[in-house]
Amino acid sequence: MSTKTHANHDQGDGAAKQSRGVRRLWLKQASAFATRSLREVRNSRLMLGWVVSFPAIMYLFFAVQGSEGTAAGDAITSIGIGVMGALFVCLYLFGDQLASDLEDQRYAAYRSMPISPAADLAGRMAAGLLLSIAAFGLTILAGFATGAEYGFRGPESIPIVVVAGLLTCIFWMVVAIPLVLATDNARVAEWATSLVAVGAFVLTGFNGALAELSPIEGEILNYLPNTLPTRLLVYHLVPAENWTELGAAPPAMPTGLEFLALLAGYAALALVVGAALLNRYCYDRGWWP
């Protein structure tokens, strides 16, 4: 009995060590993809400056043109443009790097290595998330500089803003994957991803921040994956009540946790689709590991 117990204990320790080793390898691979993505952007300072500072510059242009705007109105505008900048990073930069890897046939080498597609996706997303935060943050700083007024509605606003931003970035980075695979050309993919980011921004009235500018009417602005997070951020970052006067309503602002749950559903679905697409078309390992 004693010998059998020791044998089972040793097997358990071995399985636990193997599991820890797999997790460490996964994290190492994800970190390597994230570091490489950030290094590529850093090595192209023109791209870094353009991608990260573009939304802030765009906001300053609008602020100068609309110099008679209110502090709350300027804040709403900066959030709408800031989200557009984050989406631009998610779509353009994520898509550009993935398209370049496919065009340069790097995945032909990756397929022969024990690389986890999920680690690939997670690493690229981590880099994209950092740059998206930088683009959004610079736009908000530009808002502060021009007199925009921000303020949390309460302690619960902080986690809601953070989670909404994270979920939004996850969803839109995955949107870049089918665009890249469909175009099968790095230059065409750049145009396609940029067009999606800018088109969504224009057609939905600054991503739903200024609903009065959108040809889309009704509650749908509270459910689209670019307008829902923007309107959540506007509600929790701008201390205003009369949204109609500011151009953000109708529809009524999304205030319930069910809207955050919907955003989580979008992100979860995107993660499943993104992992499946990378596994199938980039690593040629079937639809699921």
Side-chain angles (χ1 to χ4, degrees):
M1 289 291 292
S2 178
T3 302
K4 186 175 181 179
T5 300
H6 282 301
N8 290 337
H9 181 71
D10 290 342
Q11 288 177 358
D13 286 345
K17 289 179 180 178
Q18 185 178 11
S19 179
R20 287 194 296 269
V22 170
R23 287 197 297 270
R24 282 196 297 268
L25 178 60
W26 190 94
L27 290 172
K28 187 175 181 180
Q29 290 177 356
S31 176
F33 274 102
T35 302
R36 175 176 166 266
S37 294
L38 292 173
R39 187 183 297 118
E40 285 185 359
V41 177
R42 183 196 64 189
N43 290 341
S44 178
R45 294 187 179 181
L46 179 62
M47 176 183 285
L48 178 62
W50 167 248
V51 169
V52 174
S53 64
F54 165 66
I57 295 171
M58 184 177 178
Y59 165 74
L60 290 173
F61 173 79
F62 277 99
V64 170
Q65 295 296 313
S67 56
E68 297 181 358
T70 64
D74 288 344
I76 291 173
T77 301
S78 70
I79 292 172
I81 295 176
V83 171
M84 188 276 293
L87 300 191
F88 184 76
V89 170
C90 292
L91 285 161
Y92 173 79
L93 197 59
F94 185 95
D96 177 69
Q97 291 185 345
L98 179 62
S100 296
D101 282 352
L102 287 168
E103 198 168 77
D104 295 339
Q105 298 186 340
R106 289 193 179 96
Y107 277 99
Y110 293 164
R111 291 183 194 119
S112 64
M113 303 176 186
I115 295 176
S116 166
D120 179 344
L121 181 62
R124 292 178 188 273
M125 282 187 166
L129 179 61
L130 288 175
L131 294 170
S132 297
I133 292 172
F136 182 82
L138 278 178
T139 312
I140 299 303
L141 287 177
F144 271 118
T146 57
E149 184 179 322
Y150 306 91
F152 291 116
R153 289 191 169 269
E156 73 283 356
S157 293
I158 298 175
I160 289 175
V161 167
V162 172
V163 172
L166 173 63
L167 295 174
T168 303
C169 290
I170 289 173
F171 177 86
W172 285 99
M173 280 187 275
V174 172
V175 169
I177 297 176
L179 290 174
V180 168
L181 294 175
T183 56
D184 196 28
N185 181 286
R187 293 295 163 260
V188 176
E190 287 180 11
W191 283 102
T193 53
S194 300
L195 184 62
V196 169
V198 176
F201 173 77
V202 173
L203 290 175
T204 57
F206 286 31
N207 285 321
L210 297 175
E212 65 177 4
L213 300 180
S214 173
I216 301 173
E217 298 180 356
E219 286 293 316
I220 191 172
L221 288 178
N222 282 340
Y223 296 96
L224 296 176
N226 66 309
T227 57
L228 168 57
T230 306
R231 292 172 66 77
L232 273 173
L233 293 180
V234 166
Y235 178 77
H236 285 282
L237 289 177
V238 181
E241 297 299 335
N242 194 343
W243 300 108
T244 301
E245 188 175 284
L246 292 170
M253 301 299 286
T255 59
L257 289 179
E258 66 271 16
F259 290 102
L260 193 63
L262 176 60
L263 202 54
Y266 283 149
L269 177 61
L271 281 174
V272 172
V273 172
L277 289 175
L278 274 183
N279 208 70
R280 172 65 181 85
Y281 290 106
C282 296
Y283 286 91
D284 197 22
R285 298 178 186 172
W287 286 104
W288 203 249

